[in-house]
Amino acid sequence: MRIGVDVGGTNTDAVLMRGDKVLASCKKPTTSNVSDGIVAAIETVLGTSSVPASDVRAVMIGTTHFTNAFVERRNLLDVGVLRVALPAARGIPPLIDWPEAFLAEIGSHCEMVTGGYHFDGRLNAAMDERAVAAAARTFQDKGIRSVAVTGLFSPVNPSMEERAAEILRQEMGDDVAITLSHEIGRIGLLERENATVMNACLVDMSRQVVASFRHALKTLGITAPFYISQNDGTLMDSGMVERYPVLTFASGPTNSMRGAAYLSGLQEALVADIGGTTTDIGMLCKGFPRESSVTVDIGGVRTNFRMPDILALGLGGGSLVREQGSGITIGPRSVGYQLTQKALVFGGDTLTASDIAVAAGYADFGDATRVRHLSADLIEQSVVEIHRKIAEGIDRMKVSAELVPLVLVGGGSVLVDRDIPGVSEVVTPNHAGVANAIGASIAQVSGEIDRVFSYEELGREAALATATEEAVKRARHGGADPETIKVIDIEELPLAYVPGGAVRLRVKVAGALAFDQEQP
């Protein structure tokens, strides 16, 4: 028995699952105090199903809190930035491309010291430990409690970052929060450093949010462990979330896509998650969201950590419908969480996309008599515009002309009732409205390696075997059942400008939580 919860900006969704079966589901308004919304949602699904809290084996939670906090620049810590890379990258200091608004929140406390490796793990320069200690004292004098450490090619060899962390703790005490870049980002130095700083400024908030989740479950009498879903559709335990909150960025759309794959049974498909304000469109590859292959911009900061490849459209159930001249515009403005107060069918005075679906006769909620005055021409133009916008988004996300199925999930999936060009079929599975919570409940544990190997020295097969073995080791360490771990992605990128047949190799594996195999 497991519970999946998705804490969004508008709603907190929950599902109770027994094996493959959905026993109960619900939507509750998200509250300013996160734990209250979680308690209300879980109480509802337990009450509906008459299942005691003691039967729950695990709780999986997805949340957008950290993404929103960073983008809105709320509750961010001052960060000490330590780069171990000199003499390399001297001309491009840390935080060089960060917007001024962020620097006003986290400061510009940057120290660069000598050290780092080559792409193949050979020493480039020994680390200047005295300089690291001096940097630590500087941070401490400024009252800094969180430090981001980034080393040259540390994903290949993390030894210097780990040694720098030891020195920082010796000088600043064990209470200092330290984020090491090799555990978050990929090879590129600047983007990896940015991701590390983003994480470091959120660690205080992550402790508060995790404590809030823990308190909510204790209030309900649930003693089972809880996990937080990451942005690649897999899980991490509460301790790891406290250290690496940045890995939850964009986990909401990821949960929806994983839920869509689970509910539809499709592993290769397009997914459109239609909410109250936006429609997120992504592509499933082997049941997981396709990852972005380009640098990701978050709040104006470039990073290179894993993120799903998602296209967000300003179209949802609460999108405003307006007549402009002889045409119709829908969105991007929306009534959002006030849909049930402002939409015409709920007694409000605002024409929304949901009203159009009811007036067109393919949605059944609210009071249909309140939209009878809408003209047939207005309704038809609006329906055509809704489908045109989704078709345009689908076309932008496809990588070939081949027809693929489209899975619709989210509360706004009722907006689509006609064929969409470019897709082979449109599938709206049962429980589509809570696909995000289901996606959280079925999330797996992953392991990933991203490193440069010399194929001339090792050979391709040996390099693949080594990378896979290390990725599996990481998944097992995270709690995955060894019997269920599978390779879900291999990416090879030859580095033509580097000698020795160098190839950047990324291997990702995933497996079920170990306790799953004990389920009755």
Side-chain angles (χ1 to χ4, degrees):
M1 202 79 71
R2 63 174 69 182
I3 290 176
V5 180
D6 187 271
V7 186
T10 303
N11 291 311
T12 296
D13 300 344
V15 295
L16 177 65
M17 307 275 293
R18 175 187 284 143
D20 295 339
K21 186 178 180 182
V22 180
L23 297 184
S25 65
C26 74
K27 278 182 179 289
K28 294 290 181 181
T30 295
T31 54
S32 55
N33 178 352
V34 178
S35 64
D36 290 347
I38 294 175
V39 169
I42 294 180
E43 274 183 338
T44 299
V45 294
L46 290 177
T48 303
S49 59
S50 300
V51 170
S54 57
D55 283 3
V56 177
R57 302 286 300 276
V59 179
M60 290 76 165
I61 302 174
T63 178
T64 59
H65 273 76
F66 303 117
T67 314
N68 296 343
F70 181 78
V71 173
E72 297 171 13
R73 303 189 294 277
R74 289 186 287 110
N75 303 319
L76 305 183
L77 284 176
D78 270 31
V79 176
V81 184
L82 176 65
R83 181 191 290 176
V84 185
L86 292 178
R90 184 190 299 275
I92 308 175
L95 308 180
I96 189 171
D97 56 351
W98 281 57
E100 288 295 328
F102 275 108
L103 298 182
E105 296 294 326
I106 68 169
S108 298
H109 316 292
C110 304
E111 300 288 338
M112 295 195 289
V113 303
T114 300
Y117 296 95
H118 287 282
F119 71 93
D120 55 359
R122 289 179 293 115
L123 185 68
N124 185 56
M127 185 169 71
D128 185 343
E129 297 195 359
R130 290 185 178 182
V132 174
R137 291 191 289 274
T138 299
F139 293 149
Q140 190 169 31
D141 291 343
K142 293 180 177 179
I144 290 170
R145 297 183 291 116
S146 182
V147 179
V149 181
T150 306
L152 187 65
F153 284 109
S154 62
V156 179
N157 188 339
S159 300
M160 283 190 192
E161 285 192 358
E162 291 167 351
R163 175 58 184 152
E166 291 178 4
I167 297 171
L168 287 167
R169 289 196 177 91
Q170 289 170 5
E171 297 291 335
M172 302 178 70
D174 291 335
D175 292 339
V176 63
I178 299 173
T179 304
L180 304 181
S181 76
H182 73 272
E183 296 191 296
I184 293 179
R186 295 172 175 167
I187 294 290
L189 177 68
L190 294 179
E191 291 82 2
R192 173 162 44 89
E193 185 174 66
N194 285 346
T196 308
V197 176
M198 290 166 69
N199 187 82
C201 70
L202 288 167
V203 292
D204 209 25
M205 182 185 181
S206 69
R207 292 168 179 164
Q208 296 173 19
V209 171
V210 169
S212 178
F213 290 165
R214 192 174 286 123
H215 174 73
L217 298 181
K218 184 178 179 181
T219 301
L220 292 162
I222 296 175
T223 57
F226 72 95
Y227 302 85
I228 310 293
S229 58
Q230 305 184 71
N231 50 24
D232 65 348
T234 60
L235 296 170
M236 53 185 171
D237 62 31
S238 56
M240 189 171 180
V241 178
E242 289 179 324
R243 296 195 303 274
Y244 300 111
V246 76
L247 297 180
T248 69
F249 279 24
S251 61
T254 299
N255 286 339
S256 294
M257 294 191 65
R258 288 282 294 145
Y262 181 81
L263 292 172
S264 66
L266 296 171
Q267 300 293 298
E268 309 288 333
L270 283 157
V271 176
D273 177 13
I274 308 177
T277 302
T278 61
T279 296
D280 294 325
I281 301 175
M283 188 79 194
L284 286 172
C285 300
K286 297 182 181 180
F288 284 82
R290 181 176 68 198
E291 290 190 10
S292 175
S293 58
V294 298
T295 299
V296 179
D297 185 305
I298 302 174
V301 180
R302 295 193 316 159
T303 74
N304 64 352
F305 66 98
R306 64 194 181 206
M307 289 285 283
D309 186 10
I310 298 291
L311 173 66
L313 304 176
L315 172 66
S319 294
L320 305 188
V321 180
R322 295 171 174 168
E323 293 183 88
Q324 289 193 342
S326 59
I328 293 291
T329 64
I330 300 179
R333 291 191 61 188
S334 166
V335 296
Y337 68 91
Q338 295 179 305
L339 177 67
T340 54
Q341 289 88 47
K342 292 197 170 184
L344 295 182
V345 294
F346 293 114
D349 57 1
T350 306
L351 179 60
T352 67
S354 292
D355 295 317
I356 295 297
V358 173
Y362 56 79
D364 182 18
F365 50 76
D367 183 358
T369 63
R370 296 186 60 84
V371 291
R372 283 181 182 169
H373 66 284
L374 300 178
S375 70
D377 183 55
L378 169 66
I379 295 170
E380 177 61 19
Q381 284 192 59
S382 301
V383 169
V384 169
E385 177 63 8
I386 289 170
H387 288 75
R388 185 197 67 77
K389 294 186 79 166
I390 292 177
E392 184 179 278
I394 295 296
D395 189 53
R396 290 173 61 183
M397 291 303 291
K398 289 180 65 176
V399 294
S400 74
E402 183 179 354
L403 298 179
V404 292
L406 169 65
V407 184
L408 297 177
V409 295
S413 55
V414 295
L415 299 182
V416 179
D417 187 57
R418 299 181 179 178
D419 293 339
I420 301 292
V423 304
S424 58
E425 61 176 328
V426 178
V427 179
T428 306
N430 291 333
H431 307 294
V434 290
N436 46 6
I438 291 174
S441 75
I442 63 166
Q444 297 180 315
V445 179
S446 71
E448 180 179 315
I449 289 295
D450 181 6
R451 189 174 299 173
V452 177
F453 288 86
S454 172
Y455 277 16
E456 282 186 9
E457 185 178 325
L458 284 178
R460 179 176 180 273
E461 295 306 318
L464 283 171
T466 300
T468 302
E469 182 180 348
E470 292 187 28
V472 169
K473 186 178 178 181
R474 291 192 176 192
R476 293 180 62 178
H477 181 71
D481 184 322
E483 300 297 323
T484 66
I485 296 175
K486 296 179 181 177
V487 176
I488 59 174
D489 193 23
I490 295 178
E491 183 179 302
E492 297 174 272
L493 178 64
L495 303 179
Y497 53 88
V498 177
V503 175
R504 180 178 174 180
L505 179 58
R506 186 169 70 89
V507 176
K508 183 176 180 178
V509 304
L513 269 173
F515 88 93
D516 285 352
Q517 306 311 305
E518 301 168 8
Q519 291 276 70

